[in-house]
Amino acid sequence: MEIRPRNRREFLGSQPDVDFPPIQNGIDYLLSVTLHLTHGDPPAPRDLKYAILHLQAAVEVLLKARLQREHWSQVFKNPGAATRARFESGDFESCTTDAALDRLAGIAGVTIPDKAVKTLGMLTKSRNALQHYGLTTSAPAVEARAAEVLTFLMEFITAELQPDLRTDEEKLVQRDLAVIRSRLGTITSYLKQRHNEIRADLAPVADSVVECPLCAQFAVQVGFPDPQCSFCHMSWVHSHGLLFDYLRAFDRPGLLTGECPKCGQEEMLRQTRVAAAPADPRTLCFGCAASLGPQIATCSDCAAFYEPGEGDLGRCPRCLALP
Ligand SMILES: [Zn+2]
Ligand SMILES: [Zn+2]
Ligand SMILES: [Zn+2]
């Protein structure tokens, strides 16, 4: 097993001048959180305890990682008294989560929604109660709160931390996030929470919403050059990247790709399940979201998919129109 760097010292190691934010450390905590939340259904009290403790740790580390991008002194309780030497040795009192939130808004221009701030405050209380008295409130309530915080952190990582990662760091982060995303789909409380949130957004476009190759939820709307999953926040740089991952993840019979008669890309897929009617697979273009009726033929000349009609001689309308 690979040893992950745990603190700044090791991060800085050979590159003393590089300000390396401890994002991997925060994501490592999230790996633990999702592992504990998927141990049982519902999770046992002991799993819930470690899920909450590590979730709180992830919040602190990740918020401060973003703050540190503004300036390393910002993670000190008192930035005015910060010194580089104490920062590098880790020998200082760091700011509270509340202070980190204030500074993110005031200095980094990152506003955290009120609802998330409230949830984070409740998480801190749960953590403190756990450390001193054990789990005293109802387990489902704690689990639901954990799901809310997890939702917030996945958004925060995607929007605030991922865009500026170095390439080598990005690779490691992507790998761990893929594991986390695959687990999100099996955390009951997270499922409920996210589906409630995204239901309204996806309902009007359910005909072009397909399953995410990572979290397996119906939450990716096709027809965009850079599609993303509303459920686990995975995003793809190109629609064909999504199609590639989709084919790898879902090995169903009849999944055949072909050229789309509308946009001309090789991104039309037969037997695609869509959110509107999962039991009634469509032929859907991942590139432009065009869909074809149940009768599909493959053009004998150009191999594009088309809806067959009388006298088409086995050719698509485009090839038929050629002189
Ligand atoms: Zn997903
Ligand atoms: Zn198309
Ligand atoms: Zn053709």
Side-chain angles (χ1 to χ4, degrees):
M1 170 145 180
E2 185 182 345
I3 311 266
R4 292 210 182 85
R6 292 275 165 182
N7 60 40
R8 276 200 59 80
R9 257 229 130 97
E10 289 165 67
F11 271 126
L12 287 167
S14 57
Q15 293 167 299
D17 294 330
V18 178
D19 216 17
F20 199 117
I23 294 169
Q24 282 162 259
N25 191 17
I27 289 179
D28 194 39
Y29 278 123
L30 282 187
L31 278 170
S32 161
V33 170
T34 50
L35 186 65
H36 284 296
L37 288 179
T38 46
H39 252 170
D41 191 12
R46 187 173 178 275
D47 280 315
L48 218 42
K49 173 175 134 182
Y50 284 103
I52 295 293
L53 293 178
H54 290 174
L55 195 55
Q56 174 70 21
V59 167
E60 276 180 30
V61 170
L62 293 170
L63 290 181
K64 285 173 193 169
R66 177 64 186 83
L67 210 47
Q68 205 170 299
R69 280 200 183 152
E70 298 304 310
H71 197 266
W72 53 265
S73 66
Q74 289 304 319
V75 297
F76 278 66
K77 186 179 183 192
N78 176 8
T83 67
R84 185 82 202 188
R86 282 174 63 207
F87 176 66
E88 279 172 23
S89 66
D91 170 31
F92 62 92
E93 197 181 341
S94 72
C95 68
T96 62
T97 303
D98 280 346
L101 288 170
D102 282 345
R103 290 177 196 177
L104 277 175
I107 297 162
V110 178
T111 331
I112 311 292
D114 285 346
K115 191 173 161 246
V117 172
K118 250 184 219 150
T119 315
L120 292 178
M122 275 153 55
L123 176 74
T124 308
K125 276 190 196 137
S126 298
R127 195 272 313 258
N128 293 342
L130 267 171
Q131 275 188 329
H132 299 296
Y133 315 109
L135 198 61
T136 51
T137 47
S138 98
V142 174
E143 195 192 351
R145 194 166 304 153
E148 278 181 50
V149 175
L150 207 46
T151 304
F152 160 72
L153 281 182
M154 291 305 284
E155 270 164 19
F156 186 77
I157 292 169
T158 315
E160 296 296 336
L161 298 173
Q162 256 191 308
D164 296 315
L165 288 177
R166 293 200 322 246
T167 326
D168 52 339
E169 197 186 3
E170 165 93 29
K171 254 187 215 147
L172 295 170
V173 165
Q174 285 287 14
R175 186 197 59 191
D176 288 348
L177 283 179
V179 176
I180 291 170
R181 287 184 169 112
S182 69
R183 287 179 188 156
L184 290 180
T186 62
I187 300 175
T188 317
S189 53
Y190 186 89
L191 277 170
K192 243 169 131 183
Q193 151 91 8
R194 283 303 288 153
H195 280 302
N196 285 341
E197 283 174 358
I198 64 182
R199 187 176 297 133
D201 290 343
L202 294 182
V205 292
D207 275 314
S208 57
V209 171
V210 304
E211 290 149 287
C212 168
L214 276 107
C215 68
Q217 304 303 306
F218 279 102
V220 184
Q221 189 184 359
V222 300
F224 293 94
D226 52 351
Q228 53 183 324
C229 175
S230 306
F231 186 84
C232 72
H233 299 285
M234 175 65 187
S235 62
W236 289 266
V237 184
H238 300 290
S239 52
H240 59 248
L242 167 64
L243 182 60
F244 181 81
D245 285 352
Y246 188 96
L247 288 169
R248 250 191 346 187
F250 306 112
D251 190 15
R252 288 195 293 267
L255 279 181
L256 277 177
T257 54
E259 190 186 303
C260 167
K262 195 173 157 204
C263 71
Q265 303 191 72
E266 282 277 334
E267 293 180 18
M268 198 116 202
L269 183 65
R270 294 188 75 161
Q271 293 292 320
T272 312
R273 297 179 0 158
V274 296
D280 176 23
R282 314 277 168 89
T283 299
L284 183 70
C285 176
F286 277 48
C288 74
S291 76
L292 297 177
Q295 295 294 323
I296 305 290
T298 308
C299 173
S300 57
D301 281 6
C302 76
F305 288 143
Y306 72 103
E307 293 179 37
E310 290 263 326
D312 60 27
L313 307 167
R315 297 195 184 110
C316 71
R318 203 179 38 187
C319 289
L320 261 186
L322 289 176

